[in-house]
Amino acid sequence: MVSIIGGGPIGCYAGFNLAKHHDVKIYEEDKEIGKPVQCTGIVTNNIPRQIYSEDYIINKISEAEIISPNKNSIVVDLRNNNLVLDRHKFDNFIAEKAKENGAKIFFNKKLTGLNKNELRFNDLTTTDDFIIGADGPFSKTAKESGLFRKRIFLAGKQARIKGNFNSERMKIYLGIGSFSGVVPESNKIARVVSINYKNINEDFNRLLKLEKGEIIEKQGGMIPLYNPKLKISGGNVFLAGDAATQVKATTFGGIIPGLIAAEEFSKGFNNYETRVNKKIRKELLLNLMIRKKLDGFNDKKYNELVELFSQEKLRTIIGNYDRDFPSKFVMRLLLKEPRLLKFIP
Ligand SMILES: Cc1cc2nc3c(=O)[nH]c(=O)nc-3n(C[C@H](O)[C@H](O)[C@H](O)COP(=O)(O)OP(=O)(O)OC[C@H]3O[C@@H](n4cnc5c(N)ncnc54)[C@H](O)[C@@H]3O)c2cc1C
């Protein structure tokens, strides 16, 4: 029997995979799935086919504009469209799939304590054989099982704004916070987001000056920085998603890496950590190394970087590969342009 803590996309996808062979219970602290939304909802098209649906995709992005502090910009054609998700629908879609496979979801159940097989919730104490922590960045499961260790967090602030946008193009502003971007839902509505370790309001206000529009909704949340030293399993406890810090440290996308990890539960619990590491550790580590390099950049460095990427041969490489797997293209970039060595770890 398996208890999954957290009914986010990763917990529900873990439930979907495990419920084929196990009795699965998903415990969610909120009263419904997918609210509040704390995510910009842009992903590559690497959503597992078993949970892919056009129903939750509200836009497809075919270009990325990368803008330097001196307002120079390059446009990258994305060979594979990026997808803009309705996160509420996306989360609920996966939850329904988990239920179809037999998983049971319980609401208003906040994990407050964990001792080996005993789980304590706000209004329930129960026991189970296997426990999965998919309870987000501040995972109580990780804390209670000694897997939390030291973690670094970034704050994300975002808004949906009304204005005029190119619906096929997302924008990335280099030099504003750790990450700032604009993701259009349509040519009238876009999501603007800034992410940084601190002073997030400053970054966000700078971004809003560049991307003018009427704010129709404000959102935000915390993002864990990938920690390669973490153990993501111990005894009968297994972590996945934000609870395991499985977030790309370049763009702070956590949905695809988390889903890749959760898919490993389809093969059961044996060697879960080894299998997950084999699939995503190298990529997350490379993202982290790039992040550490970027953290030391000033405006001049970003301007130089965009200048280098004005070369079509480099733009083609980054447009042809998904950012989920940087190891597939970083070497190719370096071979084409050795001057990138000083920008890439
Ligand atoms: C501002 C912002 C923008 C982002 N933009 C993107 C993006 O564009 N693309 C992308 O890929 N990623 C993005 N992310 C990251 C992405 O949102 C996460 O990586 C993703 O939601 C991780 O899913 P999860 O299921 O692991 O965790 P969550 O989605 O956080 O789900 C965890 C669930 O656990 C529940 N829970 C928590 N504690 C308990 C408890 N004690 N007991 C029971 N239940 C509990 C929560 O209520 C929640 O439902 C963004 C994050 C932020 C903050």
Side-chain angles (χ1 to χ4, degrees):
M1 294 224 302
V2 184
S3 282
I4 299 175
I5 314 304
I10 310 309
C12 288
Y13 190 48
F16 167 84
N17 285 307
L18 282 161
K20 290 173 194 165
H21 305 291
H22 298 266
D23 178 1
V24 172
K25 296 188 177 95
I26 300 174
Y27 294 98
E28 167 55 48
E29 70 176 349
D30 285 336
K31 61 178 189 302
E32 61 174 313
I33 297 282
K35 288 262 171 86
V37 173
Q38 295 176 309
C39 178
T40 320
I42 178 132
V43 290
T44 59
N45 73 350
N46 290 323
I47 294 176
R49 294 299 114 182
Q50 309 181 79
I51 50 162
Y52 183 90
S53 165
E54 294 284 325
D55 292 355
Y56 52 66
I57 296 169
I58 53 174
N59 193 17
K60 293 189 178 174
I61 303 287
S62 59
E63 294 174 348
E65 183 176 6
I66 303 171
I67 304 158
S68 59
N70 65 1
K71 306 278 186 309
N72 221 345
S73 78
I74 56 161
V75 176
V76 177
D77 288 324
L78 304 170
R79 187 173 68 179
N80 296 320
N81 280 341
N82 278 207
L83 312 174
V84 183
L85 308 176
D86 177 323
R87 264 298 298 261
H88 182 246
K89 282 191 185 163
F90 177 69
D91 290 21
N92 276 281
F93 185 89
I94 307 175
E96 284 306 314
K97 285 278 176 190
K99 283 204 273 186
E100 277 170 26
N101 278 359
K104 293 190 179 72
I105 305 183
F106 300 88
F107 294 99
N108 299 311
K109 293 281 173 286
K110 182 184 173 82
L111 184 81
T112 55
L114 174 62
N115 187 2
K116 293 198 178 110
N117 293 65
E118 189 187 86
L119 298 129
R120 286 191 303 281
F121 295 92
N122 46 319
D123 59 357
L124 168 84
T125 299
T126 181
T127 56
D128 221 332
D129 304 321
F130 297 101
I131 294 148
I132 295 178
D135 41 354
F138 299 102
S139 174
K140 184 73 174 165
T141 314
K143 285 178 182 159
E144 291 288 305
S145 56
L147 297 172
F148 198 80
R149 297 190 61 180
K150 263 199 169 169
R151 299 187 181 205
I152 295 172
F153 295 94
L154 294 97
K157 185 161 179 169
Q158 73 173 37
R160 292 176 70 230
I161 59 173
K162 251 190 201 166
N164 288 312
F165 307 97
N166 177 345
S167 64
E168 290 179 9
R169 180 181 291 185
M170 65 175 160
K171 292 186 190 176
I172 296 164
Y173 284 95
L174 299 178
I176 305 181
S178 297
F179 181 88
S180 285
V182 180
V183 174
E185 289 180 11
S186 65
N187 55 7
K188 292 275 171 254
I189 295 181
R191 302 168 185 177
V192 287
V193 61
S194 282
I195 296 169
N196 207 346
Y197 300 94
K198 54 183 182 181
N199 301 335
I200 189 65
N201 288 332
E202 228 172 78
D203 299 326
F204 191 65
N205 291 338
R206 264 178 80 191
L207 181 64
L208 283 182
K209 279 194 185 124
L210 296 164
E211 290 291 331
K212 294 198 172 57
E214 179 200 340
I215 294 180
I216 47 178
E217 201 176 335
K218 280 188 180 171
Q219 295 153 342
M222 299 303 284
I223 300 167
L225 190 68
Y226 176 59
N227 181 349
K229 290 184 183 151
L230 281 190
K231 275 197 62 57
I232 58 167
S233 64
N236 60 338
V237 177
F238 303 83
L239 304 179
D242 279 18
T245 75
Q246 290 159 345
V247 177
K248 287 170 280 184
T250 47
T251 56
F252 302 106
I255 296 172
I256 301 293
L259 291 176
I260 293 174
E263 185 143 295
E264 287 305 311
F265 288 117
S266 64
K267 297 173 198 137
F269 295 99
N270 277 346
N271 300 321
Y272 164 77
E273 181 154 357
T274 311
R275 285 185 279 115
V276 169
N277 282 342
K278 210 167 169 188
K279 285 265 164 76
I280 53 173
R281 189 183 148 84
K282 178 173 64 174
E283 307 302 338
L284 292 176
L285 199 54
L286 191 50
N287 271 284
L288 182 67
M289 288 161 78
I290 296 172
R291 163 57 47 212
K292 288 191 171 156
K293 196 89 181 170
L294 292 177
D295 282 345
F297 273 27
N298 54 19
D299 285 359
K300 187 166 164 268
K301 269 267 171 81
Y302 278 124
N303 293 339
E304 272 179 56
L305 188 64
V306 171
E307 187 63 44
L308 275 184
F309 273 96
S310 61
Q311 301 172 80
E312 201 183 330
K313 60 182 182 187
L314 300 187
R315 291 204 313 270
T316 307
I317 294 175
I318 50 173
N320 279 348
Y321 291 89
D322 290 333
R323 60 185 174 279
D324 300 319
F325 306 105
S327 68
K328 291 192 177 159
F329 62 85
V330 166
M331 211 36 141
R332 281 188 170 81
L333 286 173
L334 287 171
L335 288 172
K336 286 271 181 214
E337 179 47 272
R339 280 180 292 171
L340 278 173
L341 257 179
K342 68 172 180 182
F343 297 98
I344 292 177

